[in-house]
Amino acid sequence: MKSGKRHLIAYIIAGILLGIILRVFVIDVEKVSGTSMEPTIKEGETVLINKLAYGIENPFSNNLLVHWAEPEPGDIITYYMNNKLVMKRCVATENTVLDFSKDSGYSLSVGGTKIPLTEQQYQRIKYDTSVPEGTVLAIGDNYDESVDSRDYGFIEVNCILGKIIWH
């Protein structure tokens, strides 16, 4: 009977280790705090994150250890900003042309979408005529409430840790 208990303990330990590996490197479940992605993702909603969508996360830093794919416009991506995991929509990838306007308020047009800007946001990014190499433009769906690339700049692709695959 002793060997049966040892096998059971070994299975339990293996299961716990497998769960930890899956959580750290493969898939994550997070509860959304904030309204920056409304109406697409609502505050308090639970999301499923594919942590292998773009590479393998370095568990000791907020970037990728191995990188194999790039986000595409429309992907809802996750990354850390000020030590907080955030979720934003990838609006444009490297070398995408950015078209700014000051007519009837400040705005940015990307891929047929007109994104409102405050004067401060406009002044911050108006000199970027395209998305720099190795970065993306990430913006929340709730333009009025979202703090995003319009406020803190472009996101390095190597710092994008996952893609929302279910909400």
Side-chain angles (χ1 to χ4, degrees):
M1 204 53 143
K2 285 184 178 182
S3 73
K5 283 186 178 183
R6 275 189 244 154
H7 282 14
L8 179 61
I9 290 171
Y11 287 134
I12 291 171
I13 291 171
I16 291 169
L17 289 174
L18 180 62
I20 290 170
I21 289 170
L22 286 173
R23 176 80 194 253
V24 170
F25 294 106
V26 180
I27 204 130
D28 199 0
V29 177
E30 292 286 336
K31 191 169 187 168
V32 176
S33 69
T35 59
S36 72
M37 285 303 295
E38 288 186 356
T40 308
I41 302 174
K42 295 181 180 14
E43 184 170 18
E45 198 172 333
T46 301
V47 297
L48 193 62
I49 303 168
N50 176 359
K51 294 177 101 176
L52 291 176
Y54 308 115
I56 297 175
E57 181 180 349
N58 182 342
F60 305 109
S61 71
N62 295 333
N63 59 18
L64 295 177
L65 189 62
V66 177
H67 174 246
W68 55 61
E70 305 284 326
E72 296 180 18
D75 287 356
I76 300 175
I77 58 175
T78 61
Y79 55 92
Y80 280 95
M81 181 55 60
N82 298 325
N83 294 319
K84 182 179 176 189
L85 185 68
V86 296
M87 301 163 200
K88 305 290 181 198
R89 185 168 307 279
C90 174
V91 175
T93 57
E94 67 180 19
N95 300 320
T96 300
V97 174
L98 303 175
D99 185 27
F100 296 97
S101 174
K102 292 191 292 186
D103 297 340
S104 65
Y106 299 97
S107 66
L108 165 65
S109 294
V110 179
T113 302
K114 187 175 181 178
I115 301 164
L117 300 172
T118 65
E119 183 178 357
Q120 185 178 3
Q121 291 168 336
Y122 173 78
Q123 294 299 333
R124 176 172 178 56
I125 61 175
K126 70 180 180 181
Y127 299 108
D128 293 301
T129 57
S130 65
V131 177
E133 283 194 36
T135 67
V136 300
L137 181 68
I139 297 180
D141 289 356
N142 185 351
Y143 299 143
D144 294 336
E145 297 295 320
S146 183
V147 176
D148 49 41
S149 286
R150 297 172 297 170
D151 302 293
Y152 48 69
F154 300 98
I155 305 303
E156 291 184 33
V157 171
N158 194 41
C159 294
I160 299 171
L161 303 176
K163 176 181 176 179
I164 305 295
I165 56 172
W166 180 82
H167 57 90

